[in-house]
């Protein structure tokens, strides 16, 4: 009997050793940035105003005008549908952790923040998704509440409707439509936004394995939920900026949502007071990490501490915030400054080299940013040999709409996938209302009316492409491009520009000249913005043949004698290059990056 028992035990050991353990599911996260959610079905708390009735759906909509959208770097209305379509895709992929790197609403208005909360709670309950948020320059617009609203909502007849939170924001003169005044469009500050969205990272949950802020007195070894909760109140998470006596909240946190993964959410907003005694602050848009390393030095010290703790306890560390940590112009920032000046092309948002060096030298390896509405990968190797990978997440509210998926294959090998959002349910639901707007603008003989072909868009992706083309025509070219440079470029064919810088006696293939004659520099400039915003995502849309033609022309411009055209040629070539940014893998051991097939 004893012998039989020993044999059974031996068989049990052998079988347990030979039976393979089920493969551990890779850790996956999705990053959805710059959603700029606007509640197009808003119900205001103090007024009977319901918006304008859609003649097709019968629903009432509170929306911004198409004209305002086509002068902005983002869509205000259709992204309401795009965000939920993206979340549906994420849910189908089985991804259970989603990070939002700032600008999750448009200006942190109560109506929009509450709409976001409702959407996130729905997906949280239905698909068991954990959401983690960090702040952007649009949420909050300023650290403390202030009057807000817009003058470019759409009225029933296609004209503009003013909706503000305070009569002080009304312009002098009469209004075609009676102004709507409601507190639901004020600009909320930190307190209201963080408390309303308290369940999405800003405060600890009992289910978190770890949660900490820059102001916590505990570490991973001494952590417990009750202690974290007691130290999470916003009045215990403040700092002074410059010589201001006002204490500003900092809602940064690190959280362990699943075993072995630390998400580091950095509040990169820097608001500077107008003067030493002022309670009025400037916005955070142009400060970014240049401002952080100067005015929020406590964050740098804390990030260093988090990196060391993560290594000590063998945690996978992923940072995300609204602002980029590494230059995002593919090394063309100097050319942009020389051509356009320091205050154009969003150059005030470019982080200084000191920023990249600071965070790379701390040992931070992975950071997902937003703010630029652009797809890009920046890599910086610090003097101490440490390497930082800054992965820019595109906006869902502009061209090319996409989100990022990060997969940990193991502790040191990660894969990054960029998922383009093409099909969006109901993307054209509001088009009948824009028809009214266009008719009104035409009847009133408005100048520079937007192109009605926008309303022929066959998909959400197509709509964002039209948005970009009109943005270039209505805003970027008139406002950003110097007149002398435009005179040298606009309305010329590629062939004409080539012959203007290259001696006609030089042998030029006739087929090449014919190809260059089939498009204008205006087309090339639209593709310049497509490349600048989308990087490798747009290669297929432009096509290899056209990209080669742009390359040949740009190289010819570099060899010419015109200083501006030489710079433009260099700028275009750099914009066509850069680190892998679509689908790629990163080896965190040797700090290498490799492009993967789309």
């Amino acid at each position: 009997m004893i012998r039989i028992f020993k044999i059974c035990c031996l068989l049990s050991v052998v079988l347990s050793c030979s039976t393979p353990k089920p493969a551990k599911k890779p850790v996956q996260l999705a990053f959805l940035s710059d959603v700029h959610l606007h509640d197009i079905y808003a119900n205001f708390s103090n007024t009977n105003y319901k918006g304008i009735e859609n003649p097709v759906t019968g629903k009432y909509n509170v929306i911004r005008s198409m004209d305002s959208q086509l002068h902005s770097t983002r869509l205000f209305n259709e992204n309401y549908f795009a965000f939920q379509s993206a979340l549906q895709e994420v849910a189908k992929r089985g991804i259970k952790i989603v990070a939002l790197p700032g600008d999750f609403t448009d200006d942190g208005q109560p109506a929009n923040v509450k709409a976001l909360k409702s959407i996130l709670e729905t997906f949280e309950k239905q698909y068991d998704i954990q959401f983690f948020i960090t702040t952007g320059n649009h949420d909050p617009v300023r650290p403390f509440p202030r009057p807000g609203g817009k003058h470019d909502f759409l009225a029933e007849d296609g004209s503009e409707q003013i909706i503000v939170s305070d009569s002080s924001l009304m312009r002098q003169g009469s209004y075609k439509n009676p102004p709507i005044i409601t507190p639901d469009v004020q600009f909320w500050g930190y307190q209201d936004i963080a408390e309303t969205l308290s369940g999405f990272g800003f405060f600890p949950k009992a289910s978190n394995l770890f949660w900490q802020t820059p102001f916590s007195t505990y570490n991973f070894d001494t952590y417990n939920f009750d202690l974290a909760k007691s130290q999470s109140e916003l009045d215990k998470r403040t700092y002074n900026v410059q010589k201001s006596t006002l204490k500003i909240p900092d809602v940064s946190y690190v959280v362990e949502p699943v075993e072995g993964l630390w998400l580091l959410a950095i509040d990169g907003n820097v608001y500077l007071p107008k003067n030493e005694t002022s309670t009025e602050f400037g916005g955070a848009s142009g400060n970014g990490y240049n401002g952080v390393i100067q005015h929020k030095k406590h964050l740098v010290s804390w990030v260093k501490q988090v990196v060391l703790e993560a290594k000590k306890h063998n945690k996978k560390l992923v940072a995300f915030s609204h602002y980029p940590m590494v230059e995002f112009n593919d090394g063309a920032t100097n050319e942009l400054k020389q051509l356009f000046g320091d205050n154009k092309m969003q150059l005030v948002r470019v982080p200084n080299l000191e920023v990249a060096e600071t965070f790379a030298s701390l040992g931070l390896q992975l950071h997902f940013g937003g703010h630029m509405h652009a797809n890009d990968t920046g890599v910086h190797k610090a003097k101490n040999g440490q390497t930082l990978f800054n992965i820019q997440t595109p906006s869902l509210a502009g061209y090319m709409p996409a989100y990022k998926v990060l997969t940990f294959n193991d502790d040191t090998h990660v894969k990054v996938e960029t998922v383009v959002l093409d099909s969006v349910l109901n993307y054209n639901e509001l088009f009948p209302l824009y028809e009214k707007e266009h008719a009104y603008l035409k009847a009133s003989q408005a100048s520079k009316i937007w192109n009605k072909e926008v309303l022929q868009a066959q998909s959400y992706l197509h709509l964002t492409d039209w948005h970009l083309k009109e943005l270039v025509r209505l805003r970027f070219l008139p406002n950003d491009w110097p007149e002398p440079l435009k005179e040298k470029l606009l309305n010329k064919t590629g062939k004409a520009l080539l012959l203007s810088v290259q001696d006609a006696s030089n042998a030029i293939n006739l087929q090449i000249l014919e190809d260059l004659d089939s498009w204008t520099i205006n087309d090339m400039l639209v593709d310049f913005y497509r490349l600048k915003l989308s990087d490798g995502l747009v290669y297929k849309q432009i096509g290899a043949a056209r990209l080669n033609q742009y390359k040949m022309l740009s190289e010819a411009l570099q060899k010419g004698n015109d200083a501006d055209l030489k710079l433009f040629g260099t700028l275009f070539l750099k914009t066509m290059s850069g680190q892998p940014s679509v689908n790629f893998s990163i080896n965190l051991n040797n700090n290498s990056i490799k492009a993967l097939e789309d």
Side-chain angles (χ1 to χ4, degrees), residues 38-54 58-63 153-156 161 163 180 182 433:
H38 166 76
D39 187 4
I40 63 172
Y41 303 115
N43 289 311
F44 297 138
S45 58
N46 68 323
T47 173
N48 292 326
Y49 180 76
K50 297 186 294 184
I52 54 179
E53 185 177 7
N54 189 317
K59 299 176 183 178
Y60 283 85
N61 298 118
V62 180
I63 61 173
F153 284 88
L154 194 59
E156 191 75 44
Q161 170 70 58
I163 304 178
I180 305 299
T182 172
L433 300 175

Side-chain angles (χ1 to χ4, degrees), residues 389-405:
F389 295 91
N390 182 82
I391 300 158
Q392 285 299 115
T393 307
S395 171
L396 292 177
Y399 184 85
M400 180 180 288
Y403 59 93
K404 298 281 187 180
V405 175

Side-chain angles (χ1 to χ4, degrees), residues 170-190:
M170 293 167 56
R171 298 166 184 160
Q172 289 186 346
S174 59
Y175 290 92
K176 186 177 187 301
N177 302 297
I180 305 299
I181 300 177
T182 172
D184 299 316
V185 296
Q186 67 177 295
F187 297 152
W188 264 355
Y190 272 110

Side-chain angles (χ1 to χ4, degrees), residues 3 6 85 129 138 194 208 255 292 358 377 390 413 471 553:
R3 186 178 179 186
K6 287 182 177 179
S85 289
I129 296 174
H138 281 275
N208 299 149
V255 62
V292 167
T358 296
T377 304
N390 182 82
H413 294 83
L471 188 57
L553 176 58

Side-chain angles (χ1 to χ4, degrees), residues 34 36 73-74 103 370-375 393-395 399 533:
D34 294 88
H36 289 282
T73 55
R74 62 195 184 276
D103 282 5
H371 195 38
M372 302 314 305
H373 297 197
N375 179 59
T393 307
S395 171
Y399 184 85
L533 293 173

Side-chain angles (χ1 to χ4, degrees), residues 149-176:
K150 302 292 179 181
H151 290 244
D152 55 17
F153 284 88
L154 194 59
E156 191 75 44
D157 64 351
S159 62
E160 289 191 338
Q161 170 70 58
I162 177 174
I163 304 178
V164 291
S165 67
D166 192 281
S167 59
S168 64
L169 296 178
M170 293 167 56
R171 298 166 184 160
Q172 289 186 346
S174 59
Y175 290 92
K176 186 177 187 301

Side-chain angles (χ1 to χ4, degrees), residues 65-215:
S65 69
M66 177 60 82
D67 186 68
S68 67
Q69 294 196 119
L70 298 179
H71 282 82
S72 171
T73 55
R74 62 195 184 276
L75 292 168
F76 299 122
N77 305 322
E78 283 68 29
N79 41 318
Y80 179 88
F81 304 115
F83 179 46
Q84 294 179 75
S85 289
L87 289 178
Q88 288 288 355
E89 285 190 9
V90 167
K92 287 180 182 178
R93 286 170 168 258
I95 297 171
K96 299 300 183 183
I97 301 173
V98 174
L100 277 62
D103 282 5
F104 40 82
T105 66
D106 213 50
D107 295 336
Q109 296 160 313
N112 301 334
V113 175
K114 291 174 183 177
L116 178 74
K117 178 185 179 183
S118 176
I119 291 170
L120 297 186
E121 285 181 342
T122 297
F123 279 85
E124 182 181 54
K125 292 174 183 176
Q126 191 168 350
Y127 299 104
D128 195 30
I129 296 174
Q130 296 186 69
F131 291 97
F132 297 96
I133 294 177
T134 191
T135 54
N137 58 291
H138 281 275
D139 32 45
V141 172
R142 298 293 188 275
F144 306 105
R146 67 199 305 254
K150 302 292 179 181
H151 290 244
D152 55 17
F153 284 88
L154 194 59
E156 191 75 44
D157 64 351
S159 62
E160 289 191 338
Q161 170 70 58
I162 177 174
I163 304 178
V164 291
S165 67
D166 192 281
S167 59
S168 64
L169 296 178
M170 293 167 56
R171 298 166 184 160
Q172 289 186 346
S174 59
Y175 290 92
K176 186 177 187 301
N177 302 297
I180 305 299
I181 300 177
T182 172
D184 299 316
V185 296
Q186 67 177 295
F187 297 152
W188 264 355
Y190 272 110
Q191 188 81 34
D192 291 310
I193 291 175
E195 288 181 354
T196 302
L197 302 175
S198 60
F200 308 114
F202 288 136
F203 296 92
K205 285 184 174 181
S207 59
N208 299 149
L209 302 177
F210 179 58
W211 188 92
Q212 185 197 58
T213 79
F215 310 95

